[in-house]
Amino acid sequence: MDHVPAHLSPQSDEDKFLDVPYAQRWDHLMSVIVELYMGNYGRGGKATTLSQVVDFMKKQYSFHATPKQYRTHLDAWGVKKKKLPGDVKDDITHALARRKRPGTSTSHITITKGGRDDEHHPSKYIRHLREQGRRRPIESIMPGVLTSFNLPYEAFIASIYKTSDKPSPFGPLATTPDNVNIESPESLTPGREAAGPSPNMELVYQRAREARATLFVQGRLEDLAVGMCTEDRKLVLNYFHDFFMSGFIMAKEWGKKSPDRLAIAGPVPSPEGWPRRISTTPSDISNPPSIQSSLEFHHFKDLSRPPTQLCNWCIHVPSARGDARCTSMPLSDEGWGNPSPTSSFPNELHRSMESGSFSDLPVPNLPLERDIILRAIESDPRALKVDAWKLAIMAGNHILLKDMFEQDSDEVPEGLDEIYPFHLAASFLDGAHACCKVFEMLSRILDPTYAFSHNIDGHGHTILDTLIVSILRSHTRISPDFVSHAFRSSSRFPGEEMDICGRWGPDTPRVRELFHQGFARIPNTWKHPFCHTAVQAVCHSIISIYGPSCAPDINRLSGLFIRRCTECGLELKLGPLHTLVVAAFHLAQLGMPGETLFGAVAVLVCLLSLGGNATLRVNISVDDILGTSVGGRCSHASTSPSELIQKVPEHVIGAWTDACRVGWNCFAEILSQAEEHEHSKHNESDSQSDHSDSDWRSESVEDPGETPERCEFMNRYYGKVHGGWLKLECQTADMGLVWATIQTELLTYRRVKEGESWISENFSLEALEDWLFGHTAEFRTPLVQDQMMEPHTKCGWFKDAETFVCPCAQEVSANYFMNMDIYARSTYIGISLLEEIWEDIDML
C-alpha cells in the first residue's frame, strides 16, 4: 500500500487493543478499517482493496481476520464503496471472461439500476476496453509472488479451509454481480459447429488476461483466483506451480557441475503412471484405507505406505574443509563447483520465465497476459531476487545464498522482509542435508540485529514458534488450526512437503504424486517419532538464532496455542517453555509409534542453556488447551511451565506408552529443578550484588578442578560466555551433564535399520529418570559410566571444540563409537562457525 497516513498506523501497542477481547477489537479498530477501505492507498493511488486492508491490519495491528469477516462487519457498519462507471464495466469484463460457452456476446447484457433494467451499449463498453489497453501502466511486481504456488491445483483446492456457507472453496465471489445480467446463448444443436469468439469477445478475453496479470504482479492472489472460472484457475495455478518446482530444483542443484541451467529449469517430468483425471474434492487422508474410495479414478499408486522410516542425516566436520558438502564421501568437494561467473540464479529464473521452458502449456493458452509479468520483472529486477532467495532458503542451499549476496556486492535484496527468511528456513528445515547451515548463512550475511528486529512474522509467530510448528507437523497427528489461529484458512502446516530428516522433499516423486491426487497433507503413516536428525537440526538452529548477544528475546511470549477466556475476554498467551510443554504433551498424546520424548527433553535443555526462563508465569487455561473447558466460569490462572505439567491429568499420562511416561517424567523433573535453580539464584542475588567482574577474574585463575562448581568458561573467556559476550546461562553441574550427554548422543547415533532403537544403548532415559528423582547417586548411563565423552564445562559445553556451541563427533567423543558413517545416507558439512560471527557482532 502506498502513502498510508501516519495516523492509520499504531503509535504504540495500546493502539492495537491487544488486551481487548477479539469481538470488541472490531469496534475499537472500526475507524481505521473504514478509512483504509474507503481510501485510495493501493498501488499508484488506486482504491484500497479488501485484501490490502486484511494484510495491513494483520501486519500493523496483529489483527487476524478473513475477508469474509471484514465484509460482514463492513456491511453491518453500512460501509459500501460507490462503484464508478469504469468499475461496473470491469465487473462485466470479469463476468464475460468466466463464460466459455460458444455464442457469449457483449450484446446480451442488461444492468439493473434503481429496480429497472437499463440498456447496455456495447459500443461504449468496447470503447472503454480499448482505452483501458492504451493507458495500462507497467506495474511493479510484489517480491516473492512468482514462487507463491508451491502446491498444484488439486492439492491447493484441498488445502483451502471449507465452510458450510460456501458452495466451493472460492464461494460466491466468482459469481456475476447482482446488478449485471448476462443472457446465456442458445445451446448448440447436434451437428451444428460452434463459431469462434467474436472480435468484441476476443477483446474482452484479452483485457481479462491483462487484468489477471495485474492482480498477479500486485500479489492479490485471492482476488485472482476468485475471478476465474475453474478451468482457467487450474491452468494458472499449475503453470506457476511448474515454475516453482523448476526453480526449486534449480536452487537445490545450483553449484553442482551442471552447466546447462535451462536443462535444469525445463519441465519437471511427471512420475510414471500419473492419472489424467483428478478429484477436486478429496476426502481426508488420515485414514489411508479409504484412499481408493475417495478418488474418482482407479489408476493410482497406493500412497498409504511411507517412503521409508529410516532417516538421512548431516555429519559436521572440522572447518579445514568448511564448505565441503558431499553425499557419498566425507570431506570431499568433488561434484561442487562455483556457478558460472557469467550467470546468476536470478537471471536464470528470469530466462526460465521468459522462455516458458518450465511448462508444457503453450503461452497463448495461458489465461493471463504473461508479457505484463515479464515487463514488471524487467522494470524492477530486485523483486525477482527475493524469489531467488526464497527458493534458495526452501531448498536449503546456503552456498547459493552466499553466492547471490556476493554477486550483489554484499547487498540484501529489497523486499526480503516480506518472506520472513528465518521463519521460512524454520518451516523448510532440512536436517538431512543442511542442518543449521541456512540459519548460519542468514546470520552471517544479514544485519547482526536482523533476527532481533524480525522475530515476529505476519502470523504473530516467533522464530522459535516456527521451529516448534515444524516439530509438531512432522511428528504428530495434531490439526493445524488447533496449533494456531493463523492456520485456520488452510488445512495444512507450512512446509509439509519438506521432511526434516530428508526422507522426502517438494521434488520427491511420491510427494508430487500425493499432491497430484488431491491431498494437501502428508499422511500420518509417513511420519515417525521426533528422531535424532530432526532434534539435532532444531537444537542447532535454536543456538544459531538465540546464541549471540543481540539475539531475539528467547522468552518472548508465543503465538501458538493462543486461547481467549470466553467469560472475561482475556487473551491467554503461553511462554516459550509453556509452549514446549504443550508440544511435548502432543508428542506423547498424538505422536508416532516409538516416540520417547527424548527430543522434547533435548530441546528443553537447549532452551534452558540459552536463557529460557523456567520461572516465567503466564495466564493459562489448561482446560482450554486440553479441550475440556466448561463454560460459565474463568478457568485460567497464573502458571509456571512446571506447574502446567502438574496439571495434566494422571489418567491421560497413564494411557501413554512406558517410554513416553519415562520421557515425560524426565522432562517434568528437569523443568522443576530449573525453576528451583532460578529461584535460588534470585534469592542469592542481593548478597552478591557487590561482587564485581574483576573479583571473578581474579578468582578464575584457580584450578577449576579444585572448585567443581566454578564453570571453566570463567577461565577461558574471562566470564564473557556467561556475561557480556554471549550471556549464555550457566546451568547447574547436573543440567550441564545432561546437556553434554544429549549433544554426544545426537552427534554419534542414528537408527540405521528397521527395528532398531530410536535411542542408542549409550544413553538411557530410564537411568536419567532414576538419577533426577534421586533413586541413584549418579547418572548411570554408559556415556557417563564408561567415560565415553571428552571433558566439558560445568554447564555442558565442550570447551575444547573448535566451535563449542556446535561441536562435531570427534570433539565430544573420547573414542570412536559413532554409527553414522554410512556414506549413502550422510551429508558431510563444515561445522557452523557461529563463534566467529558472534565475535564480529560483539565488536560491532
Side-chain angles (χ1 to χ4, degrees), residues 22 26 33 53-55 57-58 62-70 73:
Y22 180 80
W26 283 99
I33 295 170
V53 174
V54 172
D55 188 58
M57 296 302 295
K58 182 189 300 183
S62 299
F63 186 65
H64 300 268
T66 65
K68 180 184 175 182
Q69 289 175 292
Y70 276 97
H73 281 82

mmCIF file of all heavy atoms in Angstrom, residues 22 26 33 53-55 57-58 62-70 73:
data_model
loop_
_atom_site.group_PDB
_atom_site.id
_atom_site.type_symbol
_atom_site.label_atom_id
_atom_site.label_comp_id
_atom_site.label_asym_id
_atom_site.label_seq_id
_atom_site.Cartn_x
_atom_site.Cartn_y
_atom_site.Cartn_z
ATOM 1 N N TYR A 22 -11.395 -10.261 21.421
ATOM 2 C CA TYR A 22 -11.334 -10.197 19.957
ATOM 3 C C TYR A 22 -12.586 -9.562 19.351
ATOM 4 O O TYR A 22 -12.496 -8.695 18.474
ATOM 5 C CB TYR A 22 -11.133 -11.605 19.398
ATOM 6 C CG TYR A 22 -11.065 -11.664 17.883
ATOM 7 C CD1 TYR A 22 -9.894 -11.329 17.219
ATOM 8 C CD2 TYR A 22 -12.169 -12.058 17.130
ATOM 9 C CE1 TYR A 22 -9.819 -11.378 15.836
ATOM 10 C CE2 TYR A 22 -12.111 -12.109 15.749
ATOM 11 C CZ TYR A 22 -10.928 -11.771 15.112
ATOM 12 O OH TYR A 22 -10.869 -11.815 13.737
ATOM 13 N N TRP A 26 -13.051 -5.231 16.960
ATOM 14 C CA TRP A 26 -13.646 -4.721 15.726
ATOM 15 C C TRP A 26 -14.149 -3.294 15.928
ATOM 16 O O TRP A 26 -13.914 -2.417 15.087
ATOM 17 C CB TRP A 26 -14.807 -5.621 15.283
ATOM 18 C CG TRP A 26 -14.374 -6.901 14.650
ATOM 19 C CD1 TRP A 26 -14.298 -8.126 15.238
ATOM 20 C CD2 TRP A 26 -13.938 -7.086 13.293
ATOM 21 N NE1 TRP A 26 -13.851 -9.069 14.349
ATOM 22 C CE2 TRP A 26 -13.634 -8.453 13.139
ATOM 23 C CE3 TRP A 26 -13.789 -6.232 12.208
ATOM 24 C CZ2 TRP A 26 -13.172 -8.986 11.940
ATOM 25 C CZ3 TRP A 26 -13.335 -6.765 11.004
ATOM 26 C CH2 TRP A 26 -13.036 -8.118 10.879
ATOM 27 N N ILE A 33 -10.186 0.708 9.982
ATOM 28 C CA ILE A 33 -10.586 -0.201 8.905
ATOM 29 C C ILE A 33 -11.388 0.540 7.844
ATOM 30 O O ILE A 33 -11.140 0.404 6.640
ATOM 31 C CB ILE A 33 -11.390 -1.383 9.479
ATOM 32 C CG1 ILE A 33 -10.509 -2.245 10.391
ATOM 33 C CG2 ILE A 33 -11.987 -2.230 8.356
ATOM 34 C CD1 ILE A 33 -11.278 -3.289 11.180
ATOM 35 N N VAL A 53 -6.418 -4.271 2.883
ATOM 36 C CA VAL A 53 -6.822 -3.935 4.250
ATOM 37 C C VAL A 53 -6.513 -5.097 5.183
ATOM 38 O O VAL A 53 -5.981 -4.913 6.279
ATOM 39 C CB VAL A 53 -8.327 -3.591 4.297
ATOM 40 C CG1 VAL A 53 -8.780 -3.374 5.752
ATOM 41 C CG2 VAL A 53 -8.624 -2.361 3.466
ATOM 42 N N VAL A 54 -6.846 -6.316 4.760
ATOM 43 C CA VAL A 54 -6.578 -7.516 5.572
ATOM 44 C C VAL A 54 -5.093 -7.614 5.896
ATOM 45 O O VAL A 54 -4.703 -7.843 7.049
ATOM 46 C CB VAL A 54 -7.048 -8.786 4.821
ATOM 47 C CG1 VAL A 54 -6.594 -10.039 5.559
ATOM 48 C CG2 VAL A 54 -8.562 -8.784 4.667
ATOM 49 N N ASP A 55 -4.247 -7.412 4.883
ATOM 50 C CA ASP A 55 -2.801 -7.535 5.066
ATOM 51 C C ASP A 55 -2.276 -6.430 5.977
ATOM 52 O O ASP A 55 -1.444 -6.680 6.862
ATOM 53 C CB ASP A 55 -2.118 -7.474 3.691
ATOM 54 C CG ASP A 55 -0.638 -7.788 3.772
ATOM 55 O OD1 ASP A 55 -0.304 -8.884 4.248
ATOM 56 O OD2 ASP A 55 0.184 -6.943 3.368
ATOM 57 N N MET A 57 -3.866 -4.685 8.337
ATOM 58 C CA MET A 57 -4.296 -4.871 9.723
ATOM 59 C C MET A 57 -3.567 -6.034 10.386
ATOM 60 O O MET A 57 -3.297 -5.997 11.592
ATOM 61 C CB MET A 57 -5.810 -5.100 9.768
ATOM 62 C CG MET A 57 -6.646 -3.913 9.299
ATOM 63 S SD MET A 57 -6.338 -2.399 10.245
ATOM 64 C CE MET A 57 -6.925 -2.886 11.868
ATOM 65 N N LYS A 58 -3.246 -7.043 9.606
ATOM 66 C CA LYS A 58 -2.516 -8.186 10.154
ATOM 67 C C LYS A 58 -1.098 -7.776 10.556
ATOM 68 O O LYS A 58 -0.623 -8.096 11.650
ATOM 69 C CB LYS A 58 -2.462 -9.312 9.123
ATOM 70 C CG LYS A 58 -1.755 -10.578 9.627
ATOM 71 C CD LYS A 58 -1.531 -11.575 8.506
ATOM 72 C CE LYS A 58 -2.821 -12.023 7.874
ATOM 73 N NZ LYS A 58 -2.581 -13.045 6.820
ATOM 74 N N SER A 62 -1.588 -6.663 14.268
ATOM 75 C CA SER A 62 -1.666 -8.064 14.708
ATOM 76 C C SER A 62 -3.121 -8.503 14.821
ATOM 77 O O SER A 62 -3.517 -9.229 15.732
ATOM 78 C CB SER A 62 -0.959 -8.262 16.054
ATOM 79 O OG SER A 62 0.396 -7.936 15.962
ATOM 80 N N PHE A 63 -3.926 -8.029 13.869
ATOM 81 C CA PHE A 63 -5.365 -8.321 13.861
ATOM 82 C C PHE A 63 -5.641 -9.300 12.724
ATOM 83 O O PHE A 63 -5.523 -8.948 11.546
ATOM 84 C CB PHE A 63 -6.160 -7.028 13.664
ATOM 85 C CG PHE A 63 -7.648 -7.202 13.790
ATOM 86 C CD1 PHE A 63 -8.215 -7.578 14.991
ATOM 87 C CD2 PHE A 63 -8.487 -7.001 12.702
ATOM 88 C CE1 PHE A 63 -9.592 -7.736 15.119
ATOM 89 C CE2 PHE A 63 -9.856 -7.153 12.810
ATOM 90 C CZ PHE A 63 -10.413 -7.531 14.031
ATOM 91 N N HIS A 64 -5.992 -10.523 13.075
ATOM 92 C CA HIS A 64 -6.164 -11.591 12.097
ATOM 93 C C HIS A 64 -7.650 -11.836 11.846
ATOM 94 O O HIS A 64 -8.400 -12.188 12.764
ATOM 95 C CB HIS A 64 -5.487 -12.874 12.580
ATOM 96 C CG HIS A 64 -4.020 -12.729 12.808
ATOM 97 N ND1 HIS A 64 -3.080 -13.010 11.841
ATOM 98 C CD2 HIS A 64 -3.314 -12.293 13.878
ATOM 99 C CE1 HIS A 64 -1.876 -12.770 12.310
ATOM 100 N NE2 HIS A 64 -1.993 -12.337 13.546
ATOM 101 N N ALA A 65 -8.077 -11.618 10.604
ATOM 102 C CA ALA A 65 -9.462 -11.864 10.218
ATOM 103 C C ALA A 65 -9.507 -12.187 8.735
ATOM 104 O O ALA A 65 -8.622 -11.792 7.972
ATOM 105 C CB ALA A 65 -10.336 -10.639 10.530
ATOM 106 N N THR A 66 -10.512 -12.927 8.337
ATOM 107 C CA THR A 66 -10.664 -13.311 6.939
ATOM 108 C C THR A 66 -11.392 -12.212 6.166
ATOM 109 O O THR A 66 -12.104 -11.389 6.764
ATOM 110 C CB THR A 66 -11.457 -14.616 6.817
ATOM 111 O OG1 THR A 66 -12.795 -14.382 7.301
ATOM 112 C CG2 THR A 66 -10.808 -15.729 7.636
ATOM 113 N N PRO A 67 -11.243 -12.168 4.831
ATOM 114 C CA PRO A 67 -12.002 -11.191 4.046
ATOM 115 C C PRO A 67 -13.503 -11.274 4.294
ATOM 116 O O PRO A 67 -14.192 -10.253 4.317
ATOM 117 C CB PRO A 67 -11.640 -11.564 2.600
ATOM 118 C CG PRO A 67 -10.288 -12.175 2.694
ATOM 119 C CD PRO A 67 -10.301 -12.927 3.993
ATOM 120 N N LYS A 68 -13.999 -12.506 4.492
ATOM 121 C CA LYS A 68 -15.433 -12.652 4.735
ATOM 122 C C LYS A 68 -15.844 -11.947 6.023
ATOM 123 O O LYS A 68 -16.905 -11.302 6.090
ATOM 124 C CB LYS A 68 -15.788 -14.135 4.817
ATOM 125 C CG LYS A 68 -17.278 -14.357 5.059
ATOM 126 C CD LYS A 68 -17.579 -15.828 5.224
ATOM 127 C CE LYS A 68 -19.052 -16.017 5.583
ATOM 128 N NZ LYS A 68 -19.389 -17.429 5.807
ATOM 129 N N GLN A 69 -15.016 -12.034 7.075
ATOM 130 C CA GLN A 69 -15.330 -11.351 8.328
ATOM 131 C C GLN A 69 -15.358 -9.833 8.124
ATOM 132 O O GLN A 69 -16.209 -9.137 8.678
ATOM 133 C CB GLN A 69 -14.306 -11.725 9.404
ATOM 134 C CG GLN A 69 -14.437 -13.158 9.913
ATOM 135 C CD GLN A 69 -13.323 -13.506 10.880
ATOM 136 O OE1 GLN A 69 -12.160 -13.596 10.506
ATOM 137 N NE2 GLN A 69 -13.675 -13.690 12.138
ATOM 138 N N TYR A 70 -14.387 -9.341 7.335
ATOM 139 C CA TYR A 70 -14.375 -7.904 7.054
ATOM 140 C C TYR A 70 -15.648 -7.485 6.313
ATOM 141 O O TYR A 70 -16.249 -6.451 6.622
ATOM 142 C CB TYR A 70 -13.142 -7.535 6.229
ATOM 143 C CG TYR A 70 -11.902 -7.309 7.049
ATOM 144 C CD1 TYR A 70 -10.960 -8.321 7.218
ATOM 145 C CD2 TYR A 70 -11.655 -6.084 7.661
ATOM 146 C CE1 TYR A 70 -9.821 -8.124 7.968
ATOM 147 C CE2 TYR A 70 -10.511 -5.878 8.419
ATOM 148 C CZ TYR A 70 -9.595 -6.899 8.573
ATOM 149 O OH TYR A 70 -8.468 -6.697 9.321
ATOM 150 N N HIS A 73 -18.625 -7.245 8.699
ATOM 151 C CA HIS A 73 -18.606 -6.077 9.577
ATOM 152 C C HIS A 73 -18.797 -4.785 8.792
ATOM 153 O O HIS A 73 -19.478 -3.858 9.265
ATOM 154 C CB HIS A 73 -17.296 -6.034 10.371
ATOM 155 C CG HIS A 73 -17.274 -6.964 11.538
ATOM 156 N ND1 HIS A 73 -16.974 -8.312 11.424
ATOM 157 C CD2 HIS A 73 -17.548 -6.760 12.851
ATOM 158 C CE1 HIS A 73 -17.042 -8.883 12.604
ATOM 159 N NE2 HIS A 73 -17.386 -7.967 13.496
#
